Short mmCIF file of all heavy atoms in Angstrom, two decimals:
data_model
loop_
_atom_site.label_atom_id
_atom_site.label_comp_id
_atom_site.label_asym_id
_atom_site.label_seq_id
_atom_site.Cartn_x
_atom_site.Cartn_y
_atom_site.Cartn_z
N ASP A 104 33.32 10.06 70.34
CA ASP A 104 33.65 11.42 69.89
C ASP A 104 35.07 11.81 70.28
O ASP A 104 35.78 12.47 69.52
CB ASP A 104 32.66 12.43 70.50
CG ASP A 104 31.27 12.31 69.89
OD1 ASP A 104 31.15 11.70 68.82
OD2 ASP A 104 30.31 12.81 70.51
N ALA A 105 35.48 11.40 71.48
CA ALA A 105 36.84 11.72 71.93
C ALA A 105 37.87 11.05 71.03
O ALA A 105 38.90 11.66 70.68
CB ALA A 105 37.03 11.26 73.39
N PHE A 106 37.62 9.81 70.63
CA PHE A 106 38.55 9.12 69.73
C PHE A 106 38.56 9.77 68.35
O PHE A 106 39.61 9.84 67.70
CB PHE A 106 38.15 7.65 69.60
CG PHE A 106 38.68 6.77 70.69
CD1 PHE A 106 38.12 6.78 71.96
CD2 PHE A 106 39.76 5.93 70.46
CE1 PHE A 106 38.61 5.98 72.96
CE2 PHE A 106 40.26 5.11 71.46
CZ PHE A 106 39.69 5.14 72.72
N MET A 107 37.42 10.27 67.90
CA MET A 107 37.31 10.82 66.55
C MET A 107 37.92 12.22 66.43
O MET A 107 38.15 12.69 65.32
CB MET A 107 35.84 10.86 66.12
CG MET A 107 35.25 9.47 65.93
SD MET A 107 33.45 9.49 65.69
CE MET A 107 33.32 10.29 64.09
N THR A 108 38.19 12.87 67.55
CA THR A 108 38.76 14.22 67.48
C THR A 108 40.27 14.21 67.22
O THR A 108 40.83 15.24 66.86
CB THR A 108 38.50 14.98 68.79
OG1 THR A 108 39.08 14.27 69.90
CG2 THR A 108 37.01 15.18 69.04
N VAL A 109 40.91 13.06 67.41
CA VAL A 109 42.37 12.95 67.25
C VAL A 109 42.66 12.26 65.92
O VAL A 109 42.04 11.25 65.60
CB VAL A 109 43.00 12.15 68.40
CG1 VAL A 109 44.51 12.12 68.26
CG2 VAL A 109 42.59 12.74 69.74
N PRO A 110 43.60 12.79 65.10
CA PRO A 110 43.97 12.10 63.85
C PRO A 110 44.36 10.66 64.12
O PRO A 110 45.03 10.35 65.12
CB PRO A 110 45.16 12.92 63.35
CG PRO A 110 44.95 14.29 63.92
CD PRO A 110 44.32 14.06 65.27
N THR A 111 43.93 9.76 63.24
CA THR A 111 44.09 8.33 63.50
C THR A 111 45.55 7.91 63.66
O THR A 111 45.87 7.07 64.49
CB THR A 111 43.43 7.52 62.39
OG1 THR A 111 43.93 7.97 61.12
CG2 THR A 111 41.93 7.69 62.41
N LEU A 112 46.45 8.48 62.85
CA LEU A 112 47.87 8.10 62.96
C LEU A 112 48.45 8.56 64.29
O LEU A 112 49.22 7.82 64.94
CB LEU A 112 48.66 8.68 61.79
CG LEU A 112 50.15 8.33 61.77
CD1 LEU A 112 50.35 6.81 61.76
CD2 LEU A 112 50.84 8.97 60.57
N VAL A 113 48.10 9.76 64.71
CA VAL A 113 48.58 10.26 66.01
C VAL A 113 48.06 9.37 67.13
O VAL A 113 48.81 9.02 68.07
CB VAL A 113 48.13 11.71 66.22
CG1 VAL A 113 48.50 12.20 67.62
CG2 VAL A 113 48.76 12.62 65.16
N LEU A 114 46.80 8.98 67.05
CA LEU A 114 46.22 8.11 68.07
C LEU A 114 46.89 6.75 68.07
O LEU A 114 47.17 6.17 69.13
CB LEU A 114 44.71 7.98 67.83
CG LEU A 114 43.85 7.45 68.97
CD1 LEU A 114 44.02 8.30 70.22
CD2 LEU A 114 42.38 7.42 68.56
N ALA A 115 47.17 6.22 66.87
CA ALA A 115 47.86 4.93 66.78
C ALA A 115 49.25 5.01 67.41
O ALA A 115 49.67 4.09 68.13
CB ALA A 115 47.94 4.48 65.32
N LEU A 116 49.96 6.09 67.14
CA LEU A 116 51.29 6.27 67.74
C LEU A 116 51.20 6.35 69.27
O LEU A 116 52.08 5.83 69.98
CB LEU A 116 51.95 7.52 67.18
CG LEU A 116 52.41 7.45 65.72
CD1 LEU A 116 52.84 8.82 65.22
CD2 LEU A 116 53.54 6.44 65.55
N PHE A 117 50.16 7.00 69.77
CA PHE A 117 49.97 7.07 71.23
C PHE A 117 49.80 5.68 71.83
O PHE A 117 50.43 5.33 72.85
CB PHE A 117 48.75 7.93 71.56
CG PHE A 117 48.30 7.82 72.98
CD1 PHE A 117 48.96 8.49 74.00
CD2 PHE A 117 47.21 7.02 73.32
CE1 PHE A 117 48.55 8.38 75.32
CE2 PHE A 117 46.79 6.91 74.64
CZ PHE A 117 47.46 7.58 75.63
N PHE A 118 48.96 4.86 71.20
CA PHE A 118 48.72 3.52 71.74
C PHE A 118 49.96 2.64 71.62
O PHE A 118 50.24 1.82 72.52
CB PHE A 118 47.54 2.86 71.02
CG PHE A 118 46.20 3.37 71.46
CD1 PHE A 118 45.35 3.99 70.56
CD2 PHE A 118 45.79 3.25 72.77
CE1 PHE A 118 44.12 4.48 70.96
CE2 PHE A 118 44.56 3.73 73.19
CZ PHE A 118 43.72 4.35 72.28
N ILE A 119 50.73 2.80 70.54
CA ILE A 119 51.97 2.03 70.43
C ILE A 119 52.95 2.45 71.51
O ILE A 119 53.66 1.62 72.09
CB ILE A 119 52.58 2.21 69.02
CG1 ILE A 119 51.71 1.53 67.98
CG2 ILE A 119 54.00 1.64 68.96
CD1 ILE A 119 52.13 1.79 66.55
N GLY A 120 52.98 3.76 71.80
CA GLY A 120 53.83 4.23 72.89
C GLY A 120 53.41 3.63 74.22
O GLY A 120 54.26 3.35 75.08
N ALA A 121 52.12 3.42 74.41
CA ALA A 121 51.64 2.85 75.66
C ALA A 121 51.80 1.33 75.71
O ALA A 121 52.12 0.76 76.76
CB ALA A 121 50.16 3.22 75.86
N LEU A 122 51.59 0.67 74.57
CA LEU A 122 51.60 -0.80 74.53
C LEU A 122 52.96 -1.38 74.20
O LEU A 122 53.27 -2.50 74.59
CB LEU A 122 50.59 -1.30 73.49
CG LEU A 122 49.12 -0.94 73.73
CD1 LEU A 122 48.27 -1.32 72.52
CD2 LEU A 122 48.59 -1.65 74.97
N GLY A 123 53.78 -0.64 73.47
CA GLY A 123 55.06 -1.15 73.01
C GLY A 123 55.02 -1.48 71.53
O GLY A 123 53.95 -1.48 70.90
N THR A 124 56.16 -1.76 70.96
CA THR A 124 56.25 -2.06 69.53
C THR A 124 55.91 -3.52 69.25
O THR A 124 55.73 -4.31 70.17
CB THR A 124 57.66 -1.75 69.01
OG1 THR A 124 58.61 -2.55 69.73
CG2 THR A 124 57.99 -0.27 69.21
N GLY A 125 55.85 -3.86 67.97
CA GLY A 125 55.50 -5.22 67.55
C GLY A 125 54.24 -5.22 66.72
O GLY A 125 53.38 -4.34 66.87
N LEU A 126 54.11 -6.20 65.84
CA LEU A 126 52.97 -6.24 64.93
C LEU A 126 51.66 -6.38 65.68
O LEU A 126 50.66 -5.75 65.30
CB LEU A 126 53.14 -7.38 63.92
CG LEU A 126 52.06 -7.46 62.83
CD1 LEU A 126 52.06 -6.18 62.00
CD2 LEU A 126 52.28 -8.68 61.95
N THR A 127 51.63 -7.18 66.74
CA THR A 127 50.38 -7.34 67.51
C THR A 127 49.92 -6.01 68.07
O THR A 127 48.73 -5.66 67.98
CB THR A 127 50.59 -8.34 68.65
OG1 THR A 127 50.95 -9.62 68.10
CG2 THR A 127 49.31 -8.50 69.46
N ASN A 128 50.83 -5.25 68.63
CA ASN A 128 50.47 -3.95 69.20
C ASN A 128 50.10 -2.94 68.11
O ASN A 128 49.27 -2.06 68.35
CB ASN A 128 51.60 -3.42 70.07
CG ASN A 128 51.75 -4.20 71.35
OD1 ASN A 128 50.81 -4.84 71.82
ND2 ASN A 128 52.93 -4.18 71.93
N VAL A 129 50.71 -3.05 66.94
CA VAL A 129 50.32 -2.19 65.82
C VAL A 129 48.88 -2.47 65.41
O VAL A 129 48.09 -1.55 65.17
CB VAL A 129 51.27 -2.39 64.62
CG1 VAL A 129 50.68 -1.81 63.34
CG2 VAL A 129 52.62 -1.73 64.90
N VAL A 130 48.53 -3.74 65.33
CA VAL A 130 47.15 -4.12 64.99
C VAL A 130 46.17 -3.58 66.03
O VAL A 130 45.12 -3.01 65.69
CB VAL A 130 47.03 -5.65 64.88
CG1 VAL A 130 45.56 -6.08 64.81
CG2 VAL A 130 47.77 -6.15 63.65
N ILE A 131 46.51 -3.73 67.31
CA ILE A 131 45.64 -3.22 68.37
C ILE A 131 45.53 -1.70 68.29
O ILE A 131 44.44 -1.12 68.41
CB ILE A 131 46.19 -3.64 69.75
CG1 ILE A 131 46.11 -5.16 69.91
CG2 ILE A 131 45.41 -2.95 70.88
CD1 ILE A 131 46.78 -5.69 71.16
N ALA A 132 46.66 -1.03 68.05
CA ALA A 132 46.66 0.43 68.00
C ALA A 132 45.82 0.95 66.84
O ALA A 132 45.05 1.91 67.00
CB ALA A 132 48.10 0.94 67.87
N ILE A 133 45.94 0.34 65.67
CA ILE A 133 45.15 0.78 64.52
C ILE A 133 43.67 0.49 64.75
O ILE A 133 42.80 1.30 64.40
CB ILE A 133 45.66 0.11 63.23
CG1 ILE A 133 47.09 0.56 62.94
CG2 ILE A 133 44.75 0.46 62.05
CD1 ILE A 133 47.73 -0.14 61.75
N THR A 134 43.37 -0.63 65.37
CA THR A 134 41.97 -0.95 65.69
C THR A 134 41.37 0.09 66.62
O THR A 134 40.27 0.61 66.39
CB THR A 134 41.88 -2.35 66.33
OG1 THR A 134 42.37 -3.34 65.41
CG2 THR A 134 40.44 -2.67 66.70
N LEU A 135 42.10 0.42 67.68
CA LEU A 135 41.59 1.37 68.68
C LEU A 135 41.48 2.78 68.11
O LEU A 135 40.69 3.59 68.60
CB LEU A 135 42.50 1.37 69.91
CG LEU A 135 42.49 0.10 70.75
CD1 LEU A 135 43.48 0.20 71.90
CD2 LEU A 135 41.09 -0.20 71.27
N SER A 136 42.26 3.09 67.09
CA SER A 136 42.20 4.44 66.51
C SER A 136 41.14 4.58 65.42
O SER A 136 40.92 5.68 64.92
CB SER A 136 43.57 4.83 65.95
OG SER A 136 43.97 3.97 64.91
N HIS A 137 40.46 3.47 65.05
CA HIS A 137 39.49 3.53 63.96
C HIS A 137 38.09 3.03 64.31
O HIS A 137 37.16 3.25 63.54
CB HIS A 137 40.00 2.73 62.75
CG HIS A 137 41.12 3.38 62.01
ND1 HIS A 137 42.43 3.32 62.44
CD2 HIS A 137 41.14 4.12 60.88
CE1 HIS A 137 43.20 3.98 61.59
NE2 HIS A 137 42.44 4.49 60.65
N TRP A 138 37.92 2.36 65.45
CA TRP A 138 36.63 1.74 65.73
C TRP A 138 35.50 2.76 65.86
O TRP A 138 34.33 2.45 65.55
CB TRP A 138 36.71 0.94 67.04
CG TRP A 138 36.89 1.81 68.26
CD1 TRP A 138 38.07 2.22 68.80
CD2 TRP A 138 35.86 2.41 69.05
NE1 TRP A 138 37.84 3.02 69.88
CE2 TRP A 138 36.50 3.16 70.07
CE3 TRP A 138 34.47 2.37 69.01
CZ2 TRP A 138 35.78 3.87 71.03
CZ3 TRP A 138 33.75 3.09 69.96
CH2 TRP A 138 34.41 3.83 70.96
N ALA A 139 35.80 3.98 66.32
CA ALA A 139 34.75 4.95 66.62
C ALA A 139 33.94 5.33 65.39
O ALA A 139 32.73 5.57 65.49
CB ALA A 139 35.37 6.20 67.25
N TRP A 140 34.57 5.39 64.21
CA TRP A 140 33.85 5.73 62.99
C TRP A 140 32.78 4.68 62.70
O TRP A 140 31.67 5.02 62.26
CB TRP A 140 34.83 5.82 61.83
CG TRP A 140 35.91 6.82 62.05
CD1 TRP A 140 37.13 6.59 62.64
CD2 TRP A 140 35.89 8.21 61.74
NE1 TRP A 140 37.86 7.75 62.69
CE2 TRP A 140 37.13 8.76 62.14
CE3 TRP A 140 34.95 9.03 61.13
CZ2 TRP A 140 37.45 10.09 61.97
CZ3 TRP A 140 35.26 10.38 60.95
CH2 TRP A 140 36.50 10.89 61.36
#
Side-chain angles (χ1 to χ4, degrees):
D104 289 344
F106 275 76
M107 293 171 67
T108 59
V109 183
T111 53
L112 182 57
V113 174
L114 197 56
L116 289 171
F117 167 78
F118 283 119
I119 291 173
L122 298 171
T124 60
L126 185 60
T127 299
N128 289 336
V129 165
V130 168
I131 294 173
I133 296 175
T134 299
L135 292 177
S136 62
H137 287 81
W138 68 271
W140 303 90

